[in-house]
Amino acid sequence: MVKIRQNLLSKSLYSWKSPYEMKPTRIVIHNTANDASADAEIKYMKKSEKQGGRQTSFHYAVDDKEAVQGLPENRNGWHAGDGNGKGNREGIAIEICYSKSGGERFMKAEQNAADLVVDILKRYGWSIKKVTKHQDYANKYCPHRTLDLGWQRFLNMVESRLNKEADKKKEEKKKPVESVKKSVDELAQEVLKGLWGNGSDRKRRLQAAGH
């Protein structure tokens, strides 16, 4: 699982960058189109207009080492290019870093993003159908490198992780509970030795142990 760290936007900038409370219904995947780290992406996103910042805002940036959260999941971001549409007002935005140059760093960032997506899907009880892309909401070829490599490939990456989690839970349920019951002979010897107490106390302890 990818490490997730918070570096949240100041509430003083909510009116500009995150003015609405949000009940999320989906995930929106982006590529950053540059080669900055997740930490740098969030730091830039948090800048005010006076500091040279832009109104654009998003919930997570993910690189090859970590995911950094910049917005609470219950606040909207301006990232999908659809105004007050479902992308901006209902989508948890994830920016995948290092998409300009690609290569190993980007591939690892994409894998970490898939881990983050799985974490979000599990927390909200969502299916893979809740994973969408920026392109679904605006006339923009984004997430550009993820699209170049194949959008279904990324969805398969997420689904594979989801299936592994589901299989793990099934295996855990199948594991037999180890019996603590002893053979009659073993139990008789322990009773004779007084290891189970005497009288009503012995009866109570034996019943509590399932004998």
Side-chain angles (χ1 to χ4, degrees), residues 13-42:
L13 293 176
Y14 274 8
S15 61
W16 188 42
K17 288 178 175 279
S18 182
Y20 301 105
E21 290 186 357
M22 182 177 82
K23 183 177 181 181
T25 64
R26 67 201 64 212
I27 295 168
V28 184
I29 300 296
H30 301 259
N31 284 173
T32 60
N34 63 48
D35 287 331
S37 67
D39 181 66
E41 288 288 345
I42 293 297

Side-chain angles (χ1 to χ4, degrees), residues 80-111:
D82 64 342
N84 284 308
K86 291 186 178 297
N88 280 335
R89 293 293 296 272
E90 298 181 16
I92 297 174
I94 298 176
E95 291 276 1
I96 305 176
C97 300
Y98 303 136
S99 67
K100 182 179 179 180
S101 297
E104 289 185 15
R105 288 193 309 176
F106 174 75
M107 299 306 292
K108 180 59 179 174
E110 219 184 27
Q111 291 167 17

